[in-house]
Amino acid sequence: MRSYDQFCPVARGLDKIGGRWAILIVRELLLGPKRYSDLEAGLPGVTPNILTERLRDLQEAGVVRRSKLPPPAVAVVYELTDLGEGLRPVVDALTRWGLQLLDVPQPQDSFRLNWLLGCLRASFRPELASAVRETYEYRVDGEVFHIRIADGDVDVRHGPAPDRACVISADLTSLLAVGGQLLALSDAQAQGVVTIEGDRCAAERSITILGPHLEATGGQHGIIGAVRARFQPQATRGIEESYEFRVDDLVFHAFVSDGSVRMELGPATEPAATLRTDLATLLGLGAGTVSFAQAIAADPGALTGDPGAGRRMAIAFGVAGAIIGFPAGATGF
């Protein structure tokens, strides 16, 4: 990679990780060591030549190293050095900042569950975990990862945990519902959409510690709070209109005014647009598995009112992927 030739820490840092794909390779390795094939699978769109070149650049910069897993794996993997691990808060900050830029998923956009795991670090609530030392294992749609809490610190890694306090198994939609407090953990268990092995109290703690921040939801949990948490102030500058939401039997509305929003129960007096949907579709929008276009195409009456206002509503409330508890998108919308 070419140098900026500037005696500046920002420029020096970008000399090392500013190349295309470099920071995304770091994103992948923050979840643990990976084989070349794992990196290739986790970075759709990268060519083998570019991936090889970027890995070489990162090794030369002292950010990444090659190592061998112990038997019985005996595989060559790439992992972060101590210098590379120092990028963790940088990636977390970029995650929080980048969420503000998410609006409507495009048809060409790829999606991987592990891309959202960084949101768990960014949404971590250390004030609720100062005396907690335990590990939670999650099994979601065939993928396994674990979260280790240790006296106010959090680490998220791929794979199972040998010393887990509990195992929570669910599909992504159900986990989003529980994480966003749209569905109580006990109800999710009773319905058979979430299973818990081990310490149930530990499972409850994991949801609380990684759950939605009240300041992000406007003091409201549940569906209204989750939608409120996705609000994008910069997308509503100069706009003043009401949007109505009908999710199953729940009716509420949002009034946006030049970057601010007020959420209330009940129908809007004169909604510019109304979205009718069910909880499963709402969560699919949040997970990025359902696009806004797909959601309204499935039911011609799902979006009524001004089509332009409907698009503004989708952008204002950031229809994009999110994972349990992320402050700017507790369940996404």
Side-chain angles (χ1 to χ4, degrees):
M1 293 183 289
R2 294 180 58 187
S3 173
Y4 285 99
D5 294 325
Q6 295 181 13
F7 192 69
C8 162
V10 175
R12 283 289 192 267
L14 290 176
D15 282 347
K16 305 302 182 184
I17 62 165
R20 184 168 169 79
W21 297 102
I23 199 67
L24 297 184
I25 292 172
V26 172
R27 177 197 67 187
E28 297 297 302
L29 295 180
L30 282 171
L31 296 173
K34 292 212 172 28
R35 296 171 299 180
Y36 181 92
S37 58
D38 296 329
L39 287 170
E40 200 170 27
L43 297 166
V46 71
T47 64
N49 288 344
I50 291 295
L51 180 55
T52 299
E53 181 181 334
R54 287 295 172 266
L55 285 170
R56 184 181 64 246
D57 292 338
L58 290 170
Q59 288 178 83
E60 291 176 354
V63 173
V64 169
R65 62 172 168 251
R66 278 165 54 102
S67 62
K68 287 187 178 181
L69 293 178
V74 192
V76 174
V77 295
Y78 293 89
E79 61 184 0
L80 294 175
T81 63
D82 289 344
L83 182 64
E85 282 287 343
L87 287 166
R88 189 178 296 274
V90 176
V91 174
D92 288 348
L94 186 59
T95 298
R96 287 188 289 268
W97 182 78
L99 190 71
Q100 302 175 75
L101 308 180
L102 292 177
D103 43 46
V104 182
Q106 299 303 310
Q108 72 273 14
D109 286 347
S110 301
F111 171 77
R112 298 287 187 277
L113 175 61
N114 67 286
W115 296 344
L116 302 180
L117 297 185
C119 296
L120 291 172
R121 292 194 308 270
S123 69
F124 176 58
R125 305 175 71 180
E127 72 277 8
L128 300 180
S130 59
V132 176
R133 293 182 66 88
E134 56 191 4
T135 301
Y136 318 114
E137 182 174 307
Y138 286 84
R139 300 174 184 175
V140 184
D141 292 337
E143 294 198 41
V144 181
F145 62 95
H146 64 273
I147 302 165
R148 189 180 304 277
I149 306 294
D151 297 330
D153 290 327
V154 63
D155 191 20
V156 183
R157 298 280 175 170
H158 269 135
D163 56 345
R164 62 208 177 208
C166 63
V167 178
I168 302 174
S169 302
D171 59 73
L172 181 58
T173 296
S174 299
L175 192 60
L176 288 172
V178 171
Q181 298 189 17
L182 308 184
L183 181 64
L185 188 57
S186 57
D187 291 340
Q189 279 188 283
Q191 295 174 23
V193 296
V194 173
T195 60
I196 298 173
E197 303 171 38
D199 187 343
R200 177 186 167 77
C201 291
E204 294 277 8
R205 274 194 298 276
S206 76
I207 298 299
T208 300
I209 292 171
L210 298 163
H213 293 240
L214 278 174
E215 63 269 23
T217 64
Q220 300 164 308
H221 280 317
I223 296 176
I224 299 177
V227 173
R228 168 66 178 79
R230 291 299 301 152
F231 180 62
Q232 309 290 311
Q234 74 281 1
T236 61
R237 301 298 182 194
I239 296 174
E240 186 169 309
E241 55 192 5
S242 295
Y243 309 123
E244 185 172 290
F245 301 86
R246 294 178 174 266
V247 183
D248 292 326
D249 296 328
L250 176 66
V251 181
F252 60 98
H253 65 274
F255 175 71
V256 304
S257 177
D258 194 26
S260 66
V261 64
R262 185 177 72 248
M263 309 285 297
E264 294 181 354
L265 273 171
T269 304
E270 296 182 358
T274 298
L275 176 68
R276 294 177 175 84
T277 188
D278 55 33
L279 181 58
T281 302
L282 185 77
L283 291 170
L285 286 166
T289 57
V290 177
S291 71
F292 189 70
Q294 290 172 328
I296 62 177
D299 178 1
L303 181 66
T304 56
D306 178 10
R311 176 170 176 78
R312 289 192 295 274
M313 173 176 65
I315 295 173
F317 291 95
V319 180
I323 194 65
I324 55 171
F326 194 60
T331 60
F333 171 65

